[in-house]
Amino acid sequence: MAEFKRIGLVGRPGSDRSLYTLQRLIQYLQSRGIDIILDDDIAKSLGEAQLPSADGETLGKTCDLVIVVGGDGSLLGAARSLAKYNVPLLGVNRGRLGFLTDITPEDIEDKVAEVLAGKYLMESRFLLDTSVVRQGKVIGGGDALNDVVIHPGRFIRMIEFELYIDGQFVYSQRSDGLIVSTPTGSTAYALSGGGPIMHPKLDAIVIVPMNPHTLSSRPIVVDGNSEIRINVGEHNRAYPHVTCDGQNHVVTNPGDEIHIHKKPHKLHLIHPLNHNFYETCRTKLGWGSRLGE
């Protein structure tokens, strides 16, 4: 097990709950003699001048572990910027669902103590790399831990496109768009769109149509190493948007190509020893407990 001597702290600067939890975390880590580096935005929000602060690149290069305090969105943002540095992330939940940030604020000291003692589970999650190509040139793109979504933007209007997987034509479609999701994102927007729940260990990608104009269109699960290409229809009246994890936005033109594939760097996510994916699903999604309970 890795030994964590220098820990970076990331969170939601505008959240009082996150900042309070970060202050508790700082006090605890200092009592353990751990070197702490704050994210620049967090340092400003806390008014903390005694501890060193740094940008995401420096955190990724110098820290043994980064603890993210916030919701799943905070961890998604940290994952996109830090995965390439192979620094593991640990999430403390100060959001709503908390599929990725699975330590509760009440358990911070106990659970972080276990992690520092080497008692934890390490899990690898892959991200998606997206690029939009116009007349042979890349005009934009982004990374996604959850999903890449092609949608009509502000206007409620069907879009037309063609789907290719590993160079093979799959179908043309008229719909509100398409969700291309990792196993991590299968419990997010893809689930709302009727996609399957995939275990995080699966090396697979799910493609979920959004309100397709045919009853025969269903989600497709493909190999995680697949090369996915979406050709935006030449006769679209809408200009489809490409969104990665709800953040990076690229507006396409008719005739553009959207290329999606797995990134080479994986996110290393740390969980407490008692982490159980199915228990998380039961708790967060309201699944039934054991009979008689």
Side-chain angles (χ1 to χ4, degrees), residues 178-201:
L178 201 66
I179 304 168
V180 181
S181 172
T182 66
T184 300
S186 70
T187 52
Y189 194 25
L191 182 62
S192 299
I197 293 175
M198 297 194 293
H199 194 281
K201 291 183 180 179

Side-chain angles (χ1 to χ4, degrees), residues 2-286:
E3 186 176 2
F4 305 121
K5 295 181 178 179
R6 177 174 294 158
I7 296 178
L9 298 183
V10 176
R12 292 176 57 193
S15 167
D16 291 339
R17 295 194 306 165
S18 293
L19 295 177
Y20 169 75
T21 300
L22 281 161
Q23 288 171 332
R24 273 184 56 191
L25 193 51
I26 289 170
Q27 292 175 355
Y28 175 72
L29 293 175
Q30 287 178 325
S31 73
R32 295 290 303 267
I34 303 292
D35 290 339
I36 302 170
I37 303 180
L38 300 179
D39 170 75
D40 282 335
D41 292 335
I42 288 300
K44 292 176 184 176
S45 296
L46 289 173
E48 179 59 68
Q50 302 302 315
L51 292 173
S53 64
D55 57 16
E57 180 179 0
T58 304
L59 289 177
K61 290 181 177 179
T62 61
C63 292
D64 307 311
L65 170 69
V66 171
I67 300 178
V68 183
V69 179
D72 286 342
S74 299
L75 197 137
L76 289 172
R80 289 192 301 273
S81 63
L82 296 173
K84 61 185 174 183
Y85 301 109
N86 290 319
V87 59
L89 302 188
L90 174 67
V92 177
N93 186 25
R94 293 268 36 178
R96 293 189 295 273
L97 277 178
F99 267 97
L100 300 172
T101 50
D102 46 16
I103 292 180
T104 62
E106 296 78 15
D107 295 332
I108 286 179
E109 289 83 2
D110 291 340
K111 295 302 181 183
V112 172
E114 291 179 7
V115 170
L116 295 179
K119 300 176 181 178
Y120 59 85
L121 301 173
M122 181 82 80
E123 192 175 61
S124 294
R125 307 281 185 99
F126 70 83
L127 293 85
L128 296 174
D129 182 279
T130 305
S131 58
V132 177
V133 178
R134 180 172 300 160
Q135 297 179 347
K137 295 182 179 180
V138 176
I139 62 146
D143 303 335
L145 177 60
N146 263 358
D147 48 44
V148 179
V149 181
I150 296 91
H151 59 98
R154 292 186 302 170
F155 301 101
I156 302 175
R157 184 176 292 168
M158 280 200 168
I159 58 179
E160 295 181 334
F161 56 87
E162 293 178 338
L163 173 66
Y164 293 80
I165 298 174
D166 292 330
Q168 296 182 336
F169 175 69
V170 180
Y171 55 58
S172 61
Q173 187 177 102
R174 295 185 72 242
S175 68
D176 288 347
L178 201 66
I179 304 168
V180 181
S181 172
T182 66
T184 300
S186 70
T187 52
Y189 194 25
L191 182 62
S192 299
I197 293 175
M198 297 194 293
H199 194 281
K201 291 183 180 179
L202 283 175
D203 187 6
I205 297 171
V206 63
I207 302 170
V208 182
M210 298 168 60
N211 301 319
H213 201 241
T214 170
L215 295 178
S216 61
S217 291
R218 292 291 183 266
I220 302 174
V221 179
V222 299
D223 184 83
N225 294 309
S226 298
E227 296 283 339
I228 298 168
R229 186 176 90 240
I230 298 155
N231 291 356
V232 181
E234 293 278 2
H235 302 293
N236 269 315
R237 296 175 61 194
Y239 289 76
H241 293 215
V242 179
T243 304
C244 300
D245 282 349
Q247 298 300 316
N248 303 75
H249 299 276
V250 181
V251 181
T252 68
N253 284 349
D256 286 354
E257 296 180 357
I258 304 161
H259 296 255
I260 304 170
H261 61 267
K262 182 195 295 182
K263 289 186 70 66
H265 301 100
K266 290 188 177 183
L267 166 67
H268 302 294
L269 191 59
I270 285 181
H271 298 289
L273 282 178
N274 65 349
H275 174 74
N276 182 315
F277 173 71
Y278 304 110
E279 181 180 358
T280 301
C281 288
R282 281 197 305 275
T283 303
K284 308 300 181 181
L285 301 178

